[in-house]
Amino acid sequence: MHLYLLLLVLLRGDVTSAITSEAASEERIERVERVMSQLTRQVMLQQLYTEETARSGGDSGIKQVRMQRDGSKPYYTATHTSNAVASIHDHSNHERTCGMGEVVAVLNGLEFRTRHNDYMLKMPSRSSVDYHATQDIPFPDVPPAVLQRTSVDDQITELREWFKAWRDGDTSVRDYRKYFKPNLCYLEGAWTTDVTLDEPFDSDRHQLEADSWFELQEQIRFTSYTGDKNSNENFAYLPTSVMNITEDGMPTFAQWNYRILCHPVSGDLPFSHLKPVDNLAARIVGDDSFDQYVASRAARFSVNPTGKDEQFRWYRLDQLMNQIPGKDNYQGKLNDTGLGQIKLDVFNGQPLNAGFYHRWYKVAGRDAMGEKVASRGFADRNLWVAETTQPRVAPVSVANCKNRWQRRRGQCDTVVKRVSYAIPLEIVYLTPIHTWNPFKLPYRGEHSSTLGKTVRADGRNGGMTPEKAYNGTNSEAYYLTPSQFFSGGEVGRDKADTTRNSVGVLDKSGKVRAVKSSGVRIFLPKIAGLGVLRTRYPIMPMHDEGDPVWKELEALRDVVMDIGRYTKYLRSPPNLASRPITNNTTAPTPFTHTVLMTSPSLPDPVGLHAHTIDLNLEQFRRMRNNRRTLTFDTSEENGHSHSVKVRYDRNTNKFRIIKCDGKPRCFDGHSAVLSEGNKRSVVP
Ligand SMILES: *[C@@H]1O[C@H](CO)[C@@H](O)[C@H](O)[C@H]1NC(C)=O
Ligand SMILES: *[C@@H]1O[C@H](CO)[C@@H](O)[C@H](O)[C@H]1NC(C)=O
Ligand SMILES: *[C@@H]1O[C@H](CO)[C@@H](O)[C@H](O)[C@H]1NC(C)=O
Ligand SMILES: *[C@@H]1O[C@H](CO)[C@@H](O)[C@H](O)[C@H]1NC(C)=O
Ligand SMILES: *[C@@H]1O[C@H](CO)[C@@H](O)[C@H](O)[C@H]1NC(C)=O
């Protein structure tokens, strides 16, 4: 680009100075045009070079989340995971929002950065072929066996049995599969022809704060060069590229864009098919055993029905991704004859519907010489590609010559393709919780509609009195579930969460009902007799897993973590008999720090939130053993932090806030009692 500008400047001087003759200047302009076109082509090739290098450096996948803390070792800081993998979190008071922060991702060698995602449960349209037409993912029904019970307590008892059947994968008495539905949420990206800014996908919490691609680029340039940050996390780095040069030397630009959607998986996908992927760095940071890590937001999973580690080409994840359409939506039907023979589906040998995502394909060999198998890309494990006919997706073309004879005569066919790429993000299980409404609380629609606004009218904030309780529910105060269905509080709260433990909602007769939020959660609060159940299973691949160093490291990790099983790979196996390795779970782990967490605030005036306070060992001891009062700044949430004086209360064995911003109580309603614990562990 620099060259380009330089040339323009030079050119001006050149052209205005001494024009000798018309012919000479015409010749000069022609020469300049030629050079410009060549340079433009070089700019396009530079982009290709950058992508090619990234393609061989790693797979399509998530690369990085925003850093929130530092530490004495590099692994204390964020990778693709921090407290939570890909910064996922809950907004379960929203009807259909899955919390997910900003990430850097790579799709087919193109690196980009998202805004704060908070995507909604939407899927491509089943009926429309319009560009980016979507529809809501249907919520599953409540089992009739539950609705038949008259009392709320009886409904709770019955519904718990259904959750138990789901947890145990037991269809014998209660066939849960109709009422507990897996959805595969995915990240899709493509080069578009869009000239005006296009909000990539729906979120009821975040939008790009720009009116044009130019403005967005300037915002990213500014924040990247200064290190500044948009406090609403509404900037995204979405590159622009030269995609083609026309016959007369003009560049055709393409704009990268991405979106997150979900697809209702056909058939069941039991939890047992999702295997946790270990992450030592995250475990050290969270001070987690493997089981604690699996029960934390930092954990990632892989689809692996057998649970075995083995080599294969296509497997269950391909069957799942193959169900997802590209940008022609579910109606899409495209044959791909690409650069020769028609591509075939690896599962059934029929012509592949290239309008759906796939990575492996077959082609019939020439002269019945068997068949050939290939995967999309050179060495990208996660390059799922779908073709499309949408004119808003930028085309690429090539001359396809059947033989040298055709080439020499310039009689080759032109093949034009438009494609998008996708990677899986997570499996989100929807349960009857989302619609089960035994108190028959009235739903008043969109929170911003006239009716929706009556929910919070007259200073109603979800309190437990008739004056303060919400007047019904809406899309952002989606509280339907009787509190007594769960036996514990919220699980593993994260700072970005907006859910309060219980709120009061007026039913039709004006009675206050204590209910909990009914949107999507990573973990459901504890259910009596069942414990804590996870409903979001992150399965996103990582960019760095495609790096040869990572592959060797992971092999090494497997050997070290399970020496007994992998002894034959060791050069000189340790003498395990003389010094037995035991699982000493009683040994104290090194104390790192303690995290105190405030109770949730009231929803008003600054929105629901909670803060954390980090204590080091010395501060912890001074307060706990020496009865000292210390002052801390809490973490910043919803645009503010508090300066709090904290003391350890020996009667209740709890840390308490005794002054908040110089006042006896925090202005936004955090209670005095702080909860204590590992910052990520499940605290039901
Ligand atoms: C795709 O190929 C199959 C078999 O060759 C053919 O039956 C079908 O009509 C083709 N579909 C399209 C959309 O070209
Ligand atoms: C790219 O430009 C060339 C001319 O340089 C043209 O022949 C080709 O059709 C263009 N490709 C696309 C996909 O527009
Ligand atoms: C609750 O909202 C409904 C609908 O807007 C309204 O008719 C009703 O009077 C409200 N109830 C109270 C107690 O404010
Ligand atoms: C250590 O714990 C693991 C998992 O809980 C178990 O499989 C293994 O047998 C235990 N090893 C010893 C030596 O107790
Ligand atoms: C386990 O750790 C505890 C605490 O350090 C120690 O007292 C005990 O001897 C250890 N047990 C074994 C079997 O190593």
Side-chain angles (χ1 to χ4, degrees):
M1 275 311 187
H2 295 47
L3 275 175
Y4 223 116
L5 291 176
L6 193 70
L7 191 84
L8 278 174
V9 172
L10 288 176
L11 200 102
R12 265 206 185 148
D14 234 25
V15 172
T16 48
S17 69
I19 298 172
T20 48
S21 75
E22 218 171 285
S25 80
E26 224 164 74
E27 191 191 310
R28 183 173 292 174
I29 288 174
E30 249 172 46
R31 200 173 66 223
V32 166
E33 276 179 356
R34 205 168 53 240
V35 172
M36 283 289 273
S37 150
Q38 284 166 345
L39 281 177
T40 312
R41 183 165 177 80
Q42 191 57 34
V43 170
M44 180 172 82
L45 295 178
Q46 290 291 335
Q47 166 82 20
L48 176 67
Y49 177 79
T50 311
E51 288 176 21
E52 282 293 291
T53 315
R55 280 179 195 127
S56 63
D59 293 335
S60 293
I62 303 292
K63 189 172 179 187
Q64 185 68 47
V65 302
R66 190 180 275 281
M67 186 175 93
Q68 305 276 8
R69 57 168 56 84
D70 202 349
S72 53
K73 293 274 188 184
Y75 54 70
Y76 280 105
T77 63
T79 56
H80 62 285
T81 184
S82 174
N83 281 357
V85 62
S87 295
I88 60 167
H89 52 264
D90 287 354
H91 290 296
S92 64
N93 55 326
H94 289 238
E95 190 179 347
R96 44 175 68 242
T97 303
C98 297
M100 179 177 169
E102 301 160 287
V103 299
V104 174
V106 179
L107 285 181
N108 195 21
L110 197 279
E111 179 165 330
F112 61 105
R113 191 162 82 226
T114 71
R115 62 157 156 80
H116 191 116
N117 287 295
D118 286 357
Y119 64 93
M120 302 190 71
L121 290 170
K122 300 225 174 199
M123 61 197 265
S125 173
R126 289 226 186 258
S127 53
S128 166
V129 293
D130 291 350
Y131 185 68
H132 284 193
T134 59
Q135 63 185 73
D136 283 347
I137 300 242
F139 284 141
D141 292 333
V142 181
V146 173
L147 298 176
Q148 277 157 16
R149 306 293 179 98
T150 41
S151 83
V152 171
D153 283 344
D154 286 350
Q155 289 200 11
I156 288 173
T157 311
E158 178 64 22
L159 186 56
R160 281 185 182 153
E161 291 299 322
W162 287 86
F163 272 85
K164 182 168 188 300
W166 174 56
R167 180 195 69 177
D168 299 341
D170 176 3
T171 55
S172 61
V173 180
R174 291 176 179 82
D175 191 348
Y176 63 86
R177 289 172 294 191
K178 241 177 103 184
Y179 309 104
F180 294 79
K181 294 284 196 181
N183 293 273
L184 173 51
C185 300
Y186 59 97
L187 173 72
E188 177 184 76
W191 288 108
T192 71
T193 55
D194 290 349
V195 181
T196 50
L197 186 99
D198 182 37
E199 184 67 38
F201 61 101
D202 289 324
S203 168
D204 49 2
R205 295 180 45 83
H206 292 272
Q207 284 82 36
L208 296 174
E209 288 177 24
D211 290 328
S212 65
W213 294 116
F214 178 83
E215 191 182 352
L216 189 64
Q217 286 154 2
E218 291 302 290
Q219 289 168 343
I220 288 297
R221 274 169 30 76
F222 180 85
T223 50
S224 289
Y225 283 114
T226 59
D228 208 340
K229 178 195 172 191
N230 170 250
S231 57
N232 295 329
E233 304 187 340
N234 283 340
F235 290 179
Y237 175 50
L238 302 172
T240 304
S241 173
V242 178
M243 210 56 186
N244 201 15
I245 321 286
T246 60
E247 298 286 1
D248 49 0
M250 298 302 284
T252 315
F253 291 98
Q255 173 61 48
W256 180 260
N257 209 342
Y258 81 101
R259 61 177 181 161
I260 298 176
L261 287 183
C262 302
H263 159 80
V265 169
S266 58
D268 189 25
L269 180 65
F271 305 139
S272 56
H273 291 188
L274 299 164
K275 190 181 172 197
V277 179
D278 202 356
N279 187 326
L280 265 185
R283 282 170 55 193
I284 293 178
V285 176
D287 192 13
D288 292 333
S289 69
F290 184 70
D291 290 344
Q292 285 170 326
Y293 159 77
V294 173
S296 83
R297 292 178 171 196
R300 198 163 57 99
F301 296 78
S302 71
V303 175
N304 186 339
T306 64
K308 284 203 216 96
D309 289 324
E310 56 193 340
Q311 231 177 10
F312 45 64
R313 287 194 286 200
W314 48 89
Y315 70 123
R316 181 78 178 124
L317 183 57
D318 291 275
Q319 286 173 331
L320 299 175
M321 288 298 285
N322 289 176
Q323 298 174 12
I324 300 177
K327 291 189 186 280
D328 284 5
N329 302 337
Y330 287 98
Q331 300 290 322
K333 195 148 184 24
L334 291 168
N335 282 349
D336 183 1
T337 46
L339 300 173
Q341 293 134 297
I342 188 161
K343 292 190 174 62
L344 305 175
D345 189 313
V346 289
F347 288 102
N348 60 22
Q350 296 301 306
L352 175 78
N353 184 353
F356 282 64
Y357 285 103
H358 58 278
R359 48 179 183 179
W360 291 94
Y361 62 87
K362 283 183 194 170
V363 289
R366 281 181 213 281
D367 311 322
M369 291 283 281
E371 51 188 22
K372 289 183 181 161
V373 171
S375 71
R376 295 272 183 179
F378 184 76
D380 186 343
R381 192 183 172 202
N382 311 311
L383 186 60
W384 275 278
V385 175
E387 295 178 12
T388 178
T389 55
Q390 299 290 353
R392 284 176 65 180
V393 173
V396 282
S397 61
V398 71
N400 183 34
C401 310
K402 293 209 171 60
N403 49 45
R404 233 186 304 166
W405 186 83
Q406 267 196 349
R407 179 172 291 123
R408 242 183 259 145
R409 282 173 176 67
Q411 291 175 340
C412 304
D413 301 331
T414 303
V415 178
V416 181
K417 293 279 179 200
R418 296 174 151 89
V419 299
S420 58
Y421 315 105
I423 53 169
L425 282 184
E426 50 181 335
I427 302 289
V428 176
Y429 288 93
L430 297 181
T431 73
I433 285 290
H434 307 297
T435 53
W436 180 53
N437 183 8
F439 292 132
K440 304 197 168 50
L441 303 175
Y443 180 72
R444 307 202 194 283
E446 269 301 308
H447 76 286
S448 53
S449 66
T450 312
L451 191 56
K453 279 183 186 157
T454 60
V455 168
R456 285 169 188 263
D458 308 321
R460 295 185 172 278
N461 63 12
M464 289 296 170
T465 62
E467 295 72 39
K468 285 293 176 193
Y470 290 133
N471 181 8
T473 68
N474 66 27
S475 65
E476 291 192 3
Y478 196 61
Y479 296 91
L480 313 175
T481 315
S483 290
Q484 69 261 40
F485 178 75
F486 299 112
S487 55
E490 292 294 332
V491 175
R493 280 198 325 257
D494 184 279
K495 322 186 275 187
D497 294 355
T498 51
T499 301
R500 276 208 307 177
N501 275 344
S502 278
V503 300
V505 176
L506 295 182
D507 68 12
K508 286 198 179 92
S509 63
K511 192 167 174 212
V512 179
R513 302 293 195 169
V515 280
K516 283 182 185 282
S517 57
S518 312
V520 180
R521 286 181 173 84
I522 304 168
F523 297 103
L524 294 173
K526 197 171 185 175
I527 301 174
L530 298 181
V532 169
L533 302 179
R534 181 191 272 274
T535 56
R536 289 176 69 182
Y537 284 79
I539 56 167
M540 60 280 286
M542 252 176 71
H543 172 68
D544 289 328
E545 284 173 331
D547 182 334
V549 176
W550 186 276
K551 296 176 189 178
E552 186 70 8
L553 191 69
E554 185 144 340
L556 183 67
R557 183 170 67 190
D558 280 348
V559 172
V560 171
M561 299 293 282
D562 200 351
I563 287 185
R565 189 169 147 214
Y566 289 100
T567 322
K568 83 172 198 193
Y569 299 118
L570 299 176
R571 241 174 253 157
S572 94
N575 188 345
L576 299 180
S578 70
R579 266 194 297 147
I581 296 174
T582 56
N583 293 336
N584 195 345
T585 49
T586 58
T589 45
F591 184 100
T592 46
H593 61 281
T594 296
V595 175
L596 300 178
M597 186 170 266
T598 69
S599 72
S601 70
L602 298 171
D604 302 303
V606 287
L608 292 164
H609 64 278
H611 304 268
T612 55
I613 301 165
D614 273 345
L615 307 185
N616 63 29
L617 182 55
E618 193 203 328
Q619 293 164 330
F620 182 85
R621 284 198 179 132
R622 278 169 69 197
M623 287 200 289
R624 210 166 147 148
N625 306 341
N626 308 345
R627 297 166 164 251
R628 296 288 297 272
T629 301
L630 298 182
T631 302
F632 299 91
D633 282 330
T634 67
S635 62
E636 184 179 313
E637 313 297 335
N638 290 31
H640 71 280
S641 62
H642 302 282
S643 170
V644 289
K645 275 193 175 165
V646 179
R647 192 163 61 198
Y648 186 72
D649 180 346
R650 296 217 170 181
N651 298 324
T652 57
N653 292 331
K654 295 228 186 280
F655 289 94
R656 291 180 70 89
I657 299 176
I658 54 170
K659 275 266 164 68
C660 183
D661 303 318
K663 304 214 173 65
R665 302 215 51 178
C666 296
F667 75 94
D668 48 0
H670 303 291
S671 72
V673 181
L674 294 164
S675 53
E676 181 186 343
N678 177 311
K679 66 180 168 297
R680 267 216 322 262
S681 62
V682 174
V683 196

